[in-house]
Amino acid sequence: MPADHPAPPLRVLSVIPPMTQLNTPYPSTAYLTGFLRSRGVDAVQEDLALALVLRLLSPDGLRAVAACVEALPRKKHSPAVQAFAAQQARYLATIGPVIAFLQGRDATLAHRIAGRHYLPEGPRFESLDVYVDDGSGDPLGWAFGSLGLQDRARHLATLYLNDLADVLRDAVDPRFEFVRYAESLAGSQPTFDPLADALAAPPNLVDDTLQALTLEAVARHGPTVVLLSVPFPGAVYAAFRIAQTLKARHPQITTVLGGGFVNTELRELAEPRVFDHFDYVTLDAGERPLLSLLEHLQGRRGRQRLVRTFVREAGTVRYINMAEPDVAFAEVGTPTWDGLPLDKYLSLLDMLNPMHRLWSDGRWNKLTVAHGCYWKKCSFCDVSLDYISRYEGASATVLADRIDAIVRETGQTGFHFVDEAAPPKALKALATELVARGTGISWWGNIRFEKTFSPELCQLLADSGCIAISGGLEVASDRLLTLMKKGVSVDQVARVTRAFSDAGILVHAYLMYGFPTQTVQDTVDALEYVRQLFENGCIQSGFFHRFACTVHSPVGQNPEDYGVTLQPLPPGAFAKNDIAFHDPTGVDHDALGGALKKAIYNYMHGIGLEEDVRSWFPFKVPKTTVARNRIERALRQPA
C-alpha cells in the first residue's frame, strides 16, 4: 500500500455466542481482547450468551414467550408449558426480582423465595422429592438446616429458571438449552446440511432476539472485524446466526470464526458454505493468526502470508499456513474483562454438592497457569492438537502480576485456573509467590493426581487460596489406567486426594466408563473404588462420562493398540471428531452408565455409601473383586 494511503483503522469486537455459561464469562474473549490491546489494537468484547438469556428471561421476554405458548395447540403443551400457562401472571411478576437476586443485587428476596410461597413451581421442583425429609417436613433441611438461607433460595431460583428453559424448549425452540444449545447440528456432524437448513428456516423468538442483540452490539461498538469464538458444539448454531445477521445487515464487517470447536472438529474443513457467513476460519491459539489477519486487512501482509487460516477462493476452501512462531505464553498479556457486565452474571445452584456447584456458582476470573499439558500421554485425549501438545509456562512472577492486575480491574478475588492439567511445579512456585505477596485470592483448578502433590504441597496450595481441585481418575482400574497411559494408580490417587482433603481442599474426580476392553467386572470394581474414595473422605464430588473415541487421540490413531477396530467415518466436508468403534468385549456400556450416574449422584449427597454397589444396577452384575478396605489400606501405606 502506498505510504500516502495509511492502513484503514480497525476495531475488533470479540463475541461470546450463546450458549456457554451464565455465572461467569467464557474466557476466550477476555484473552483475545487483552492480547490485542497489548499490541495496540482497538479491541472490545460482548457476551451475547448472557445478553440473550437476560433478554428472554425478563417481563417483556416472557410476554413474548407467552404469545408463543398461546399460538401452540393445547395438545402440544408439555407439563412445563402447562405450568407456565397456568401461572403466567406469577412468572411475569417474579422474573425481574429473581434475576436481580441471582445477580446478587437483592439478597433480602431470599426470605420470600425460601419460604416456597413466592415462586411459581413447575415440573423441575419435583426433583426436591428425591431428597430425604429429616422429619421436619422440609425436604431441603438435610442440606441447608435452619441456616443457609441464601443458598436454599438460589437452589429454588435455579429450579425456577430451569422450568423456564424447558418452556422455551417446548414452546419456542426445540433446540434451546442453557448450555448445549442446538448441539446436534454441529457436534461431529460430517455434513453442513442440518446447520444450513436450520439457518435457512424462518427465525423463531430466540433467533429474532439474538439478531436484535447482534445489531445493538454493532451499533454500540462500530466494529470493522467481529471474532466469534466457539468453544463447544452448543455455541455453533448461534455463532452462525450472529454471522448471518452481520452479513445481511453489515456486509462490510469482516467475520472470523475460531475457538475450541473449530480447533478440534474443523481441522479438515472443506465446506464452502461456511464462508457464506465467515470470511476467515482460524485454527489453534488465536494470537498469531489474528495478528497476521489484521495485518492483511490493513494491507500490510499478503493473503498468502496468513497463518493457520481457512479461506474460500473461487468456491473452494483453501488452508493457508505460513510458518511463523506462536506468541509465547509469557507474552500473550493479561486477559481483560473490561466491557463485560460483571454485575449481571447469574450465580446458580444446580446441585447441592459443595464441590460440584463451583461450575455454576460464582463469578470466577478464569486464568491459565500454562499453555498445553505437561503430561500429554493420555490415550483418550487429543494429545496431537496444539492446545494439548504445545506446553509452555510463565514465571510465577508473571502469573502473580496477572492475578494482581485482574483483581484490580474486576474487584473480584475468585479464580478458576482452566488448564488441562496445571503443572505441580508451576503451582508450587505460584503458591509460594502468592503467599509471599499476601495475595488474598480463592482459586480452584484441574490437575493430575500425581504423587508430587504431597501433604506438604497440598497445604501450601491451601495457604495460597486453593479451595478445590478436580482431576481425572478416569476408569478407576489399574489395568486400564496403565493401558490409557494415565501415569497414576488407584492407590496413588487415594493418597493424593486424601492429602488435598486433609488440607481442607474439596476434590472432584472425573470418571470414565466404556474405555476399550473395559468389562462389566471392571466397571463394577471401578464403582467400588469410587464408593470407598467417598467413604474415606478422599473425594467429595465426581462425574461419570462415557468414553468417546476422537480422531485426534491415540486410540483414534492407533486403535489396534487398544484392541478395537474403528468404523468408517461418513463422508463429509464439515465437522470431524468422534469416531465409532467396535469393542470385542460386547459390553452394553450405556446400560451400565445409568447405574453409575445414579450411584455417584447419591454418593455426592452422602446417600448409599454402605450399600453393595450391585444394588445400583437394575440387572444382575458380578460381585466386586475389590476388598471392602482396599482404599483404607492404601491410605495407611507411605506414598
Side-chain angles (χ1 to χ4, degrees):
M1 180 173 291
D4 58 342
H5 288 81
L10 294 177
R11 173 163 255 224
V12 179
L13 170 61
S14 296
V15 174
I16 303 172
M19 300 294 295
T20 49
Q21 57 191 123
L22 301 179
N23 64 308
T24 198
Y26 193 77
S28 57
T29 65
Y31 272 94
L32 292 173
T33 304
F35 170 72
L36 291 173
R37 288 183 181 180
S38 74
R39 298 302 177 101
V41 177
D42 183 6
V44 291
Q45 58 188 325
E46 283 272 352
D47 187 343
L48 292 189
L50 177 68
L52 177 66
V53 169
L54 294 182
R55 184 68 59 87
L56 291 170
L57 300 185
S58 67
D60 285 345
L62 290 192
R63 288 187 189 95
V65 172
C68 295
V69 168
E70 290 172 8
L72 199 67
R74 285 202 173 268
K75 63 181 180 181
K76 292 188 177 182
H77 281 202
S78 67
V81 172
Q82 291 173 15
F84 176 78
Q87 304 179 86
Q88 180 179 320
R90 290 184 66 195
Y91 276 107
L92 289 171
T94 53
I95 187 61
V98 168
I99 292 296
F101 168 72
L102 291 172
Q103 291 171 332
R105 296 189 289 113
D106 190 2
T108 58
L109 190 65
H111 294 272
R112 295 195 70 189
I113 294 174
R116 299 287 300 276
H117 299 294
Y118 176 67
L119 296 181
E121 297 188 359
R124 290 288 187 141
F125 284 77
E126 294 171 6
S127 65
L128 299 178
D129 295 339
V130 306
Y131 297 131
V132 178
D133 189 342
D134 61 3
S136 66
D138 178 6
L140 294 179
W142 69 273
F144 300 115
S146 59
L147 299 175
L149 177 71
Q150 293 291 322
D151 281 351
R152 179 194 296 256
R154 279 195 294 129
H155 181 57
L156 294 169
T158 301
L159 296 176
Y160 165 93
L161 291 196
N162 288 337
D163 271 330
L164 289 173
D166 292 343
V167 175
L168 280 162
R169 181 197 63 215
D170 297 340
V172 178
D173 186 341
R175 303 159 302 202
F176 186 85
E177 288 189 55
F178 279 150
V179 178
R180 295 182 171 89
Y181 179 32
E183 181 177 67
S184 63
L185 296 177
S188 297
Q189 182 63 258
T191 172
F192 189 68
D193 289 347
L195 193 53
D197 292 343
L199 293 168
N204 57 42
L205 173 63
V206 178
D207 297 323
D208 287 338
T209 305
L210 183 57
Q211 181 185 68
L213 291 167
T214 300
L215 296 175
E216 289 169 20
V218 169
R220 234 181 344 263
H221 299 294
T224 55
V225 180
V226 171
L227 310 178
L228 283 147
S229 181
V230 178
F232 320 115
V236 173
Y237 169 73
F240 272 81
R241 273 291 188 189
I242 292 168
Q244 182 185 57
T245 298
L246 293 173
K247 286 302 172 194
R249 300 291 188 90
H250 298 282
Q252 77 283 1
I253 294 177
T254 299
T255 51
V256 187
L257 177 66
F261 167 80
V262 178
N263 300 339
T264 53
E265 304 211 20
L266 299 188
R267 303 194 73 84
E268 299 177 28
L269 179 63
E271 174 55 75
R273 288 176 291 175
V274 168
F275 297 87
D276 292 340
H277 310 280
F278 291 97
D279 299 297
Y280 302 92
V281 178
T282 67
L283 289 182
D284 299 329
E287 290 85 4
R288 181 59 66 192
L290 280 178
L291 286 182
S292 67
L293 176 57
L294 296 181
E295 289 177 2
H296 169 62
L297 294 176
Q298 291 178 306
R300 296 189 288 122
R301 177 186 287 245
R303 190 180 178 97
Q304 307 310 313
R305 297 180 61 222
L306 293 174
V307 177
R308 295 196 302 271
T309 301
F310 289 101
V311 298
R312 181 171 62 183
E313 292 182 348
T316 301
V317 178
R318 182 182 171 211
Y319 182 58
I320 305 173
N321 185 19
M322 177 183 173
E324 201 165 327
D326 273 297
V327 177
F329 177 70
E331 299 173 7
V332 296
T334 301
T336 178
W337 282 265
D338 178 48
L340 296 178
L342 299 185
D343 59 339
K344 293 185 178 179
Y345 286 88
L346 306 172
S347 278
L348 305 176
L349 193 48
D350 281 307
M351 187 174 286
L352 307 185
N353 179 276
M355 169 73 206
H356 212 87
R357 64 188 282 181
L358 294 180
W359 278 274
S360 64
D361 179 21
R363 224 287 300 156
W364 302 96
N365 298 312
K366 292 182 181 283
L367 191 66
T368 308
V369 174
H371 181 281
C373 178
Y374 68 98
W375 180 250
K376 54 190 174 192
K377 295 180 183 178
C378 299
S379 55
F380 56 84
C381 192
D382 293 339
V383 296
S384 62
L385 300 186
D386 175 80
Y387 81 100
I388 298 291
S389 64
R390 181 169 61 87
Y391 175 68
E392 278 188 76
S395 71
T397 301
V398 167
L399 292 172
D401 286 346
R402 289 177 182 173
I403 288 170
D404 287 342
I406 291 168
V407 171
R408 285 195 301 270
E409 178 186 276
T410 66
Q412 295 173 314
T413 60
F415 282 79
H416 180 196
F417 296 151
V418 292
D419 301 70
E420 295 299 316
K425 286 180 65 176
L427 285 179
K428 181 178 181 180
L430 176 59
T432 302
E433 181 72 14
L434 293 174
V435 170
R437 294 188 183 196
T439 306
I441 66 167
S442 303
W443 64 268
W444 58 293
N446 196 53
I447 62 160
R448 291 180 60 249
F449 292 129
E450 61 171 80
K451 60 184 179 182
T452 310
F453 289 105
S454 62
E456 294 76 20
L457 178 53
C458 292
Q459 187 58 55
L460 172 64
L461 299 182
D463 292 343
S464 75
C466 181
I467 58 170
I469 283 294
S470 58
L473 173 54
E474 316 307 351
V475 283
S477 157
D478 285 336
R479 176 183 75 83
L480 292 172
L481 284 169
T482 300
L483 180 62
M484 63 170 51
K485 299 179 183 176
K486 186 69 184 176
V488 299
S489 67
V490 174
D491 286 3
Q492 178 183 312
V493 169
R495 288 189 286 269
V496 170
T497 53
R498 182 58 182 269
F500 278 113
S501 293
D502 286 347
I505 296 170
L506 296 170
V507 182
H508 174 88
Y510 292 109
L511 298 155
M512 181 185 296
Y513 64 98
F515 192 75
T517 73
Q518 185 172 9
T519 64
V520 174
Q521 185 70 65
D522 288 328
T523 303
V524 173
D525 288 349
L527 185 57
E528 174 61 18
Y529 279 125
V530 171
R531 184 195 69 78
Q532 291 187 34
L533 288 169
F534 274 100
E535 184 180 48
N536 285 276
C538 298
I539 62 177
Q540 291 75 45
S541 173
F543 183 78
F544 272 106
H545 67 273
R546 177 79 151 84
F547 168 75
C549 179
T550 70
V551 295
H552 311 294
S553 68
V555 176
Q557 295 180 346
N558 302 290
E560 63 280 358
D561 293 347
Y562 302 90
V564 298
T565 54
L566 303 182
Q567 297 181 14
L569 283 167
F574 189 51
K576 180 191 294 187
N577 192 38
D578 292 359
I579 181 169
F581 64 94
H582 172 70
D583 187 338
T585 59
V587 175
D588 185 352
H589 294 294
D590 289 334
L592 294 168
L596 296 174
K597 292 175 181 179
K598 182 178 181 181
I600 202 164
Y601 180 86
N602 282 274
Y603 292 165
M604 284 193 289
H605 293 90
I607 300 170
L609 289 170
E610 301 301 321
E611 301 289 332
D612 186 314
V613 294
R614 290 176 291 179
S615 66
W616 298 108
F617 296 89
F619 44 82
K620 188 174 182 180
V621 294
K623 182 181 180 180
T624 181
T625 63
V626 179
R628 293 277 291 187
N629 63 345
R630 168 65 185 278
I631 296 299
E632 183 183 346
R633 290 205 321 265
L635 293 173
R636 289 199 299 263
Q637 295 180 11

